C-alpha cells in the first residue's frame, strides 16, 4: 500500500471514529462538490434543509437568499435593483434585502456567479455610526482537485475550521453543507463595548468563488475537477461595491477585512476599494486588515504555485498595470512586486492597515504545501500531493515525505513584514501556535499573550498606528 493510500485510509478511520463519537453534532456533508445538480443528499435540491426546495434558507422562493420573489434579492421586488442591472439601487439606497438572523439582510445579485454558476450576493446591516465594515469570508481555494473539493461552490457551503484535526471529516467528505452567515461574535459582536466597530454598518460577503475573492475568469477547466469553474470573485466584488457603496460613499471610516481567503482578498482588493471611495466621496479613511491571509515571497510561497493561481484565477488581470514587477515570467514575485507597489509607491508614507496571524498557521501551511517538491530538499516544483500531505498533517501532525513546517511559516511571516511591507508601515498582531482565523472568534477580546487585545489593536490600526503585538521579532 502506497503512502498516499495509507494517509487516506487512516483519515477514513479517523472520520468514522469521529462520526461515531459526535453523533448528531457532526454537520451534514454534500457528497459531490464537483456538481450542483443535487441528487438525493442534504443540500441536494431535494427535501432537506438548505436544499433549494421547501425549507428555511433553501432558495425556494419564500426565504432569505432565494433569488426568486423577495424584496432586495435582485429579482422582482421594490428597491431590489431588478430590471437591467440586478442588485443595483437606483437612488443611493441599499437594496432592501431579505431578512436573515441577527438583523442582517441578504441581497442576492443575479449578475454575479459562484464557482458553480449559482448567484452570489452579500449581507448588510445598518449601524448607528457613519462608518462601514466590509468583511470577506474565507474557505480555502480551488487550484487542484483536493482543495477544490474543500472549497465552497456556493453560499450554502462553508469551511470555518480552526485546526486541521477538527476538520478531518471535511478533508475526507468535502466541505460541509452550511449556510454562510456572519456570527454574532468577535468583530461582529455589537453588544461588546470594547468592539471598535460595533456601532458601524457592516457588509458580509460570503465566499463561493475559490479565488481569494480576486478572480476574473469564467468557464475555467481545472484538471480532475468536474465542470467549468467560475473564478469571478473580483468581478463580483466590483458589482457588490457598486450596489452597497453609494449608501456609504460619505462614510468617515471604512475597514476592509476578511479571514483566510478573505484576508488575501482584502489585500488584493485594497487599491480598488480605496479608489472607489475616493471617486464617490473622497472622505472615507480606508484601512485594511488581513486575518490569516498573509501572502509570502517566493522562498516561502513557491513561484510555481503563484503561477497556477495567476493561470486559473486570472490574477494578472486585476493587478495594477503600472506595477512593473508584478508580472514575472515564472509567475513568481507576486508579493514582492505588488507589496512594493502598494505600500511603497502608490501609498507611500501612509499606514494602510495590518496583519493578524498565528505564528505557525497550519491551515495556510497546508495551502502553501502544494508548491513544494515531493522530494524533501529538492527545488520547489509543485509536485507534492496536497491530499496526502494535508491528511497526514491533520492525522499525524506532519505530512508524508516533504511538508511545510511551522518554523518555515514563521520565517515567511517575518520575511514579508520585514523585507516587503516593512515594519512601521503596517501593524501586525501575532498569536502563538497554529490556530486559523481570529477576528470573528471570541479571542478578538482576549490578549492572547500580548499587551493588547485584538480589538484594542484594531482600534490602533483605525487610528493610523502601525502597532506591533506578539513575539515575531523577539
Amino acid at each position: 500500500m502506497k503512502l498516499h493510500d495509507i494517509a487516506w485510509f487512516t483519515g477514513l478511520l479517523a472520520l468514522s471514529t469521529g462520526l461515531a463519537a459526535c453523533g448528531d453534532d457532526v454537520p451534514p456533508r454534500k457528497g459531490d462538490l464537483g456538481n450542483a445538480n443535487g441528487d438525493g443528499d442534504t443540500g441536494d435540491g431535494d427535501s432537506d434543509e438548505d436544499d433549494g426546495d421547501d425549507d428555511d434558507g433553501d432558495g425556494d422562493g419564500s426565504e432569505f437568499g432565494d433569488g426568486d420573489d423577495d424584496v432586495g434579492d435582485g429579482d422582482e421586488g421594490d428597491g431590489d435593483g431588478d430590471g437591467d442591472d440586478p442588485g443595483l439601487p437606483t437612488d443611493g439606497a441599499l437594496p432592501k434585502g431579505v431578512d436573515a438572523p441577527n438583523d442582517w439582510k441578504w441581497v442576492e445579485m443575479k449578475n454575479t456567479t459562484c464557482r458553480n454558476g449559482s448567484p452570489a450576493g452579500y449581507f448588510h446591516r445598518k449601524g448607528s455610526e457613519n462608518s462601514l465594515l466590509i468583511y470577506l469570508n474565507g474557505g480555502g481555494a480551488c487550484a487542484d482537485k483536493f482543495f477544490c473539493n474543500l472549497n465552497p461552490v456556493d453560499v450554502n457551503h462553508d469551511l470555518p475550521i480552526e485546526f486541521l484535526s477538527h476538520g478531518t471529516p471535511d478533508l475526507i467528505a468535502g466541505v460541509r453543507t452550511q449556510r454562510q452567515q456572519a456570527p454574532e461574535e468577535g468583530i461582529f459582536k455589537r453588544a461588546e463595548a470594547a468592539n471598535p466597530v460595533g456601532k458601524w454598518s457592516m457588509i458580509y460577503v460570503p465566499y463561493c468563488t475559490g479565488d481569494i475573492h480576486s478572480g476574473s475568469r469564467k468557464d475555467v477547466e481545472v484538471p480532475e475537477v468536474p465542470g467549468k469553474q467560475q473564478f469571478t470573485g473580483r468581478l463580483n466584488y466590483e458589482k457588490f461595491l457598486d450596489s452597497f457603496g453609494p449608501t456609504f460613499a460619505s462614510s468617515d471610516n471604512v475597514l476592509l477585512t476578511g479571514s483566510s481567503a478573505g484576508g488575501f482578498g482584502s489585500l488584493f482588493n485594497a487599491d480598488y476599494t480605496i479608489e472607489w471611495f475616493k471617486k464617490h466621496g473622497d472622505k472615507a479613511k480606508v484601512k485594511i486588515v488581513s486575518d490569516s491571509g498573509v501572502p509570502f515571497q517566493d522562498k516561502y510561497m513557491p513561484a510555481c504555485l503563484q503561477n497556477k493561481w495567476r493561470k486559473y484565477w486570472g490574477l494578472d488581470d486585476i493587478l495594477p498595470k503600472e506595477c512593473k514587477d508584478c508580472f514575472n515570467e515564472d509567475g513568481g514575485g507576486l508579493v514582492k512586486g505588488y507589496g512594493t507597489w502598494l505600500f511603497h509607491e502608490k501609498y507611500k508614507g501612509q499606514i494602510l492597515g495590518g496583519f493578524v496571524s498565528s505564528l505557525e498557521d497550519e491551515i495556510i501551511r497546508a495551502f502553501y504545501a502544494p508548491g513544494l517538491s515531493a522530494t524533501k530538499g529538492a527545488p520547489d516544483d509543485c509536485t507534492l500531493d496536497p491530499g496526502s500531505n494535508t491528511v497526514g498533517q491533520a492525522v499525524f501532525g506532519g505530512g508524508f515525505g516533504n511538508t511545510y513546517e511551522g518554523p518555515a511559516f514563521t520565517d515567511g511571516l517575518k520575511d514579508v513584514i520585514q523585507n516587503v511591507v516593512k515594519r512601521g508601515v503596517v501593524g501586525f498582531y501575532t498569536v502563538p501556535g497554529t490556530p486559523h482565523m481570529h477576528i470573528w472568534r471570541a479571542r478578538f477580546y482576549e490578549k492572547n499573550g500580548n499587551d493588547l487585545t485584538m480589538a484594542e489593536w484594531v482600534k490602533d490600526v483605525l487610528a493610523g498606528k502601525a502597532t506591533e503585538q506578539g513575539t515575531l521579532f523577539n
Side-chain angles (χ1 to χ4, degrees):
M1 183 178 286
K2 297 181 180 179
L3 289 178
H4 174 85
D5 298 323
I6 293 172
W8 279 101
F9 178 72
T10 305
L12 286 169
L13 288 178
L15 171 63
S16 61
T17 301
L19 290 174
C22 295
D24 293 338
D25 291 334
V26 177
R29 312 287 172 190
K30 183 174 178 66
D32 184 1
L33 284 185
N35 63 65
N37 298 328
D39 33 38
D41 300 313
T42 300
D44 57 8
D46 188 350
S47 59
D48 298 303
E49 189 172 297
D50 292 319
D51 60 6
D53 191 350
D54 296 318
D55 300 300
D56 292 349
D58 53 11
D60 61 359
S62 61
E63 305 295 340
F64 78 89
D66 56 13
D68 193 343
D69 298 318
D70 294 298
V71 175
D73 60 3
D75 192 351
E76 298 177 5
D78 294 339
D80 60 1
D82 54 359
D84 294 334
D85 205 355
L88 299 183
T90 58
D91 57 0
L94 277 170
K96 292 181 181 179
V98 182
D99 288 345
N102 297 319
D103 300 323
W104 291 94
K105 302 288 186 178
W106 166 248
V107 177
E108 182 179 279
M109 296 183 63
K110 286 188 174 179
N111 58 342
T112 61
T113 51
C114 289
R115 186 157 63 86
N116 66 1
S118 63
Y122 64 89
F123 293 90
H124 64 72
R125 183 167 71 179
K126 291 297 289 289
S128 60
E129 293 186 357
N130 188 37
S131 292
L132 177 67
L133 168 72
I134 305 172
Y135 179 89
L136 309 179
N137 195 26
C142 177
D144 59 64
K145 178 182 178 181
F146 179 79
F147 279 113
C148 287
N149 191 50
L150 289 174
N151 174 248
V153 295
D154 55 36
V155 297
N156 289 317
H157 291 86
D158 201 6
L159 189 70
I161 62 175
E162 183 177 11
F163 299 98
L164 282 178
S165 58
H166 295 169
T168 299
D170 300 277
L171 299 181
I172 305 304
V175 65
R176 68 191 68 183
T177 302
Q178 177 176 306
R179 181 83 181 190
Q180 293 184 50
Q181 172 76 45
E184 194 68 11
E185 185 53 270
I187 202 166
F188 300 109
K189 193 171 185 179
R190 294 169 295 173
E192 175 57 63
N195 187 356
V197 302
K199 296 181 180 179
W200 291 20
S201 293
M202 298 181 178
I203 300 292
Y204 180 91
V205 180
Y207 179 49
C208 65
T209 52
D211 55 10
I212 60 173
H213 294 274
S214 303
S216 62
R217 295 193 62 204
K218 299 179 179 180
D219 298 328
V220 180
E221 295 184 359
V222 178
E224 299 185 87
V225 178
K228 293 183 178 180
Q229 312 303 308
Q230 308 306 314
F231 294 127
T232 55
R234 171 58 171 266
L235 304 181
N236 291 348
Y237 180 72
E238 292 179 5
K239 293 181 176 72
F240 297 157
L241 196 48
D242 285 340
S243 175
F244 65 74
T247 302
F248 304 106
S250 297
S251 294
D252 295 323
N253 302 281
V254 173
L255 174 60
L256 173 62
T257 186
S259 299
S260 194
F264 289 97
S266 67
L267 294 172
F268 286 106
N269 288 297
D271 179 58
Y272 185 86
T273 303
I274 294 170
E275 286 294 335
W276 193 98
F277 280 95
K278 182 178 180 180
K279 177 181 178 180
H280 292 84
D282 201 18
K283 175 185 177 184
K285 298 176 182 177
V286 182
K287 299 297 181 185
I288 317 297
V289 169
S290 172
D291 169 26
S292 302
V294 184
F296 290 168
Q297 293 204 75
D298 296 8
K299 180 179 178 181
Y300 303 98
M301 194 177 77
C304 62
L305 187 62
Q306 299 174 47
N307 197 41
K308 289 176 66 175
W309 301 340
R310 291 176 189 262
K311 171 187 173 183
Y312 291 136
W313 305 339
L315 289 185
D316 284 357
D317 291 336
I318 73 159
L319 293 173
K321 302 308 177 187
E322 61 269 31
C323 177
K324 299 178 182 178
D325 297 321
C326 280
F327 308 98
N328 291 3
E329 289 186 8
D330 65 354
L334 180 61
V335 172
K336 181 66 173 178
Y338 179 68
T340 299
W341 176 85
L342 184 68
F343 294 101
H344 303 291
E345 293 181 14
K346 183 164 185 179
Y347 298 101
K348 184 178 181 180
Q350 300 183 42
I351 306 296
L352 291 185
F355 303 117
V356 179
S357 178
S358 295
L359 291 175
E360 298 186 356
D361 189 316
E362 64 179 3
I363 306 295
I364 300 299
R365 282 193 282 133
F367 178 54
Y368 287 169
L372 304 178
S373 167
T375 304
K376 194 169 185 176
D380 297 332
D381 62 1
C382 288
T383 58
L384 183 69
D385 176 62
S388 292
N389 175 76
T390 306
V391 174
Q393 188 177 332
V395 177
F396 299 109
F400 294 96
N402 204 359
T403 190
Y404 201 117
E405 303 290 350
F409 184 88
T410 305
D411 289 343
L413 187 62
K414 185 183 298 183
D415 169 65
V416 76
I417 291 176
Q418 193 164 31
N419 299 320
V420 178
V421 297
K422 312 291 186 182
R423 296 177 70 181
V425 174
V426 298
F428 61 85
Y429 191 106
T430 58
V431 176
T434 65
H436 184 59
M437 297 193 288
H438 310 281
I439 64 173
W440 54 267
R441 303 190 193 274
R443 60 174 165 270
F444 186 70
Y445 301 105
E446 299 169 359
K447 291 190 174 181
N448 306 294
N450 296 323
D451 293 329
L452 301 178
T453 66
M454 218 172 288
E456 292 170 331
W457 174 83
V458 167
K459 187 176 181 179
D460 275 359
V461 168
L462 294 173
K465 299 177 182 178
T467 301
E468 300 182 356
Q469 290 287 287
T471 60
L472 192 60
F473 293 100
N474 289 359

